[in-house]
Amino acid sequence: MSRTTTLTAAPTEATAPTATGPTPPAAGVSAAAVTDLLVGVYRDALGVPDLDELSDFYENGGDSLTAFQVTARRRTRPRR
């Protein structure tokens, strides 16, 4: 079985399902801005500067510990 996970495949705070449905991004925040923010967090965590939104998390050195680090970094970055 093949495992392919792109950087945008995992639920984020903006798209994670809730009891009432996905939480929309804050007013005035574009999907492109959210994607840019998340890709930047992944680049920092994985140490791979040329990642884009289609890059595979695991093929670029990601693992469960890195996923937790990404979550922590995302929560500490200021919202734009």
Side-chain angles (χ1 to χ4, degrees):
M1 183 154 116
S2 173
R3 175 177 70 177
T4 301
T5 305
T6 62
L7 298 182
T8 56
T12 65
E13 289 178 16
T15 61
T18 64
T20 59
T23 303
V29 177
S30 70
V34 172
T35 298
D36 289 345
L37 175 67
L38 293 174
V39 169
V41 170
Y42 279 94
R43 285 178 182 154
D44 292 345
L46 296 173
V48 181
D50 60 340
L51 288 177
D52 63 23
E53 67 272 8
L54 300 177
S55 297
D56 185 272
F57 177 77
Y58 296 103
E59 287 179 5
N60 284 286
D63 56 24
S64 59
L65 180 58
T66 307
F68 282 111
Q69 292 169 342
V70 165
T71 301
R73 289 180 187 187
R74 169 56 193 103
R75 290 183 179 175
T76 61
R77 281 207 175 178
R79 292 184 183 238
R80 297 178 188 180

